[in-house]
Amino acid sequence: MPFIPGVLSARSGLARASLLGVLLAAGSVQAESALMQEVDSRSAPEASEQRAGFVDWLGAFRRRAAGQGISERTLERALDGVRYRPEVIENDRYQPEFVRPIWQYLDTAVSSARVNTGREKLAAHRATARAMQKRYGVPAEVIVAIWGIESNYGRHFGDYSTLDAFATLAFDGRRRDFARQELLAALKIIDAGDIAADDMVGSWAGAMGHTQFIPSSFRAYAVDGDGDGRRDIWGSIPDVMASTANYLKRAGWQPGQPWGTEVRLPEDFDYAQTGQLSTAQWRRRGVRAVDGATLPEFAEAKIIVPAGAEGPAFLTGPNFRSILRYNNATSYALAVAKLSDAVAGRRGIVNAWPREQAPLTRDDVTRLQRLLNRAGYEVGGADGIMGPNTRKGLRAFQRDQGLTADGFATQALLKRLENS
């Protein structure tokens, strides 16, 4: 889902953490029913008060939207049928117990089935994809890869009303100001005639269409690719491809450059180097392409090691950062990069992932953070999230213990901290 700087991506922060989505994907009707019973377990007076509060809030929002120039016709068609959806709040508040390892994510995101379907979709829409590549400079296989990762090529872009989702989040969610602005943006899209209110559907978190734009991203980057006067990312593949390519171009995509490449790091590599250097500087530090080929020439490049020193390493350039603008998660950007490579027939990841490593739960990460703080490695609050401060503190602990200081948290490191 397109990521707006300063705004948490609904996909990275919300949509992929959706319990309901996991249950539906697993086909667990009983589990879904149990979740909905939990949502409906509130007392009748409490539910009645909540409905009344939502009606009052929606009336106030409607007046505000009218003041922003939204027509009365649009307000009637869009807001008269809006419903409070309690399951949206349940999904928003749900936090998974385990953090999924990147290799498990990539197993699904770049599966052979998804690669084969991507090639089929590219063949079926080759003329359109090539036209968008020529217009925006973004390779056809990258456009298709975004489509594949975001909605499995349109199979799973959701059937929630975007208006219901953002109205619910604006009334009762964690990020009310953000949701109000997105709901207003959705009304402006409808008012402009791009889509009818009843057809504006997507994920429970409000991401819309084949490539999961939130409304503000739609207004900023969506493009009419088929020339019919509307921007339709639900039903028009030319519009989907044009909008996706336009987003990446506006995010700084450099035509003719690769996203990066897998590399081999020297034995004494300093994993604390998180900044950007030129390819020439990385080469002088002993970084080499994993297959012995010439490294792509980047003025500014970054080394990423998503699974620490025991896993693959990658030299990434400006186009990888453009994908991160679409969704600010390394696992997501690497999935798009490698799916695009696979669709185009390029080689996959060479070095193995440390699949024997058991994932840490959020409670494990919280305990790790507390132990690091107690041992004098200040990492800030113990929130269960492996952020840059936690990785920095962990690298310091590893260095003091004579270990490879890659900042990758494992069960073995947690035990070592507990016993130190």
Side-chain angles (χ1 to χ4, degrees):
M1 189 202 88
F3 175 82
I4 301 297
V7 176
L8 177 65
S9 160
R11 172 184 278 275
S12 61
L14 300 175
R16 295 309 177 216
S18 166
L19 174 60
L20 184 58
V22 171
L23 297 175
L24 290 174
S28 178
V29 176
Q30 295 86 352
E32 181 191 357
S33 176
L35 174 61
M36 297 312 297
Q37 287 172 11
E38 179 182 345
V39 171
D40 292 337
S41 64
R42 300 162 297 166
S43 67
E46 180 185 355
S48 179
E49 287 177 13
Q50 191 170 53
R51 282 194 297 271
F54 180 71
V55 170
D56 290 344
W57 176 88
L58 192 60
F61 177 84
R62 182 170 182 156
R63 291 189 290 274
R64 177 186 174 191
Q68 293 280 323
I70 306 298
S71 70
E72 185 59 33
R73 177 184 176 86
T74 293
L75 291 173
E76 287 179 2
R77 293 189 171 187
L79 297 183
D80 280 357
V82 164
R83 295 184 296 144
Y84 177 80
R85 302 289 295 270
E87 68 271 27
V88 167
I89 301 303
E90 290 296 314
N91 290 337
D92 185 38
R93 291 174 182 168
Y94 172 73
Q95 292 291 334
E97 181 185 2
F98 284 92
V99 178
R100 192 181 187 191
I102 186 170
W103 50 89
Q104 289 183 9
Y105 174 70
L106 291 175
D107 286 346
T108 301
V110 195
S111 66
S112 58
R114 188 163 289 181
V115 172
N116 290 336
T117 303
R119 290 172 178 167
E120 291 169 4
K121 293 294 184 183
L122 181 54
H125 302 282
R126 187 173 300 278
T128 297
R130 294 300 187 199
M132 300 314 163
Q133 176 176 321
K134 183 176 181 181
R135 185 183 306 175
Y136 298 103
V138 180
E141 64 268 21
V142 173
I143 299 171
V144 168
I146 293 273
W147 185 16
I149 298 298
E150 289 291 343
S151 70
N152 199 11
Y153 310 105
R155 293 175 179 174
H156 305 300
F157 63 66
D159 57 4
Y160 275 85
S161 160
T162 301
L163 301 167
D164 285 356
F166 279 122
T168 299
L169 291 167
F171 170 67
D172 198 23
R174 295 178 296 112
R175 300 177 298 133
R176 297 182 183 184
D177 289 344
F178 162 71
R180 277 195 295 268
Q181 290 303 313
E182 292 303 320
L183 181 57
L184 185 62
L187 292 175
K188 290 179 179 178
I189 293 167
I190 296 166
D191 209 36
D194 285 305
I195 191 74
D198 290 344
D199 295 329
M200 183 180 273
V201 295
S203 76
W204 66 264
M208 309 182 302
H210 284 264
T211 48
Q212 298 285 277
F213 278 49
I214 56 175
S216 59
S217 294
F218 180 100
R219 296 193 69 228
Y221 305 112
V223 174
D224 174 16
D226 58 15
D228 69 350
R230 299 187 305 118
R231 299 175 295 174
D232 179 6
I233 60 171
W234 296 266
S236 168
I237 299 305
D239 289 8
V240 169
M241 290 187 167
S243 299
T244 304
N246 183 52
Y247 188 99
L248 290 173
K249 177 184 177 181
R250 297 274 297 277
W253 189 274
Q254 302 295 307
Q257 283 195 0
W259 63 267
T261 191
E262 188 178 354
V263 294
R264 184 176 66 254
L265 303 178
E267 294 272 340
D268 61 348
F269 185 77
D270 180 6
Y271 290 90
Q273 295 183 86
T274 57
Q276 298 182 77
L277 302 174
S278 69
T279 296
Q281 289 171 312
W282 285 121
R283 193 182 291 113
R284 285 195 292 272
R285 284 162 171 77
V287 175
R288 298 290 183 268
V290 73
D291 58 0
T294 302
L295 291 174
E297 294 296 334
F298 298 131
E300 293 183 329
K302 185 175 183 178
I303 299 291
I304 62 169
V305 283
E310 294 184 21
F314 306 91
L315 177 78
T316 63
N319 290 342
F320 192 82
R321 295 194 292 276
S322 296
I323 301 171
L324 285 171
R325 285 282 301 277
Y326 206 96
N327 183 320
N328 194 26
T330 298
S331 57
Y332 173 88
L334 191 57
V336 169
K338 295 313 298 180
L339 181 57
S340 69
D341 282 349
V343 168
R346 294 187 287 269
R347 72 185 303 168
I349 295 171
V350 174
N351 288 322
W353 296 101
R355 293 177 180 272
E356 73 284 357
Q357 296 287 357
L360 271 64
T361 67
R362 291 190 179 273
D363 286 344
D364 288 338
V365 175
T366 300
R367 188 159 67 256
L368 179 85
Q369 292 167 324
R370 287 174 179 158
L371 290 167
L372 285 169
N373 281 330
R374 189 180 305 166
Y377 303 96
E378 298 295 334
V379 302
D383 58 5
I385 299 172
M386 281 296 302
N389 287 337
T390 302
R391 295 189 189 281
K392 180 179 178 182
L394 187 56
R395 282 197 300 269
F397 171 74
Q398 290 172 311
R399 190 164 46 248
D400 290 346
Q401 295 287 310
L403 305 171
T404 300
D406 60 4
F408 183 64
T410 64
Q411 293 287 353
L413 277 174
L414 178 58
K415 285 186 175 118
R416 186 182 281 256
L417 262 168
E418 289 172 335
N419 296 328
S420 64

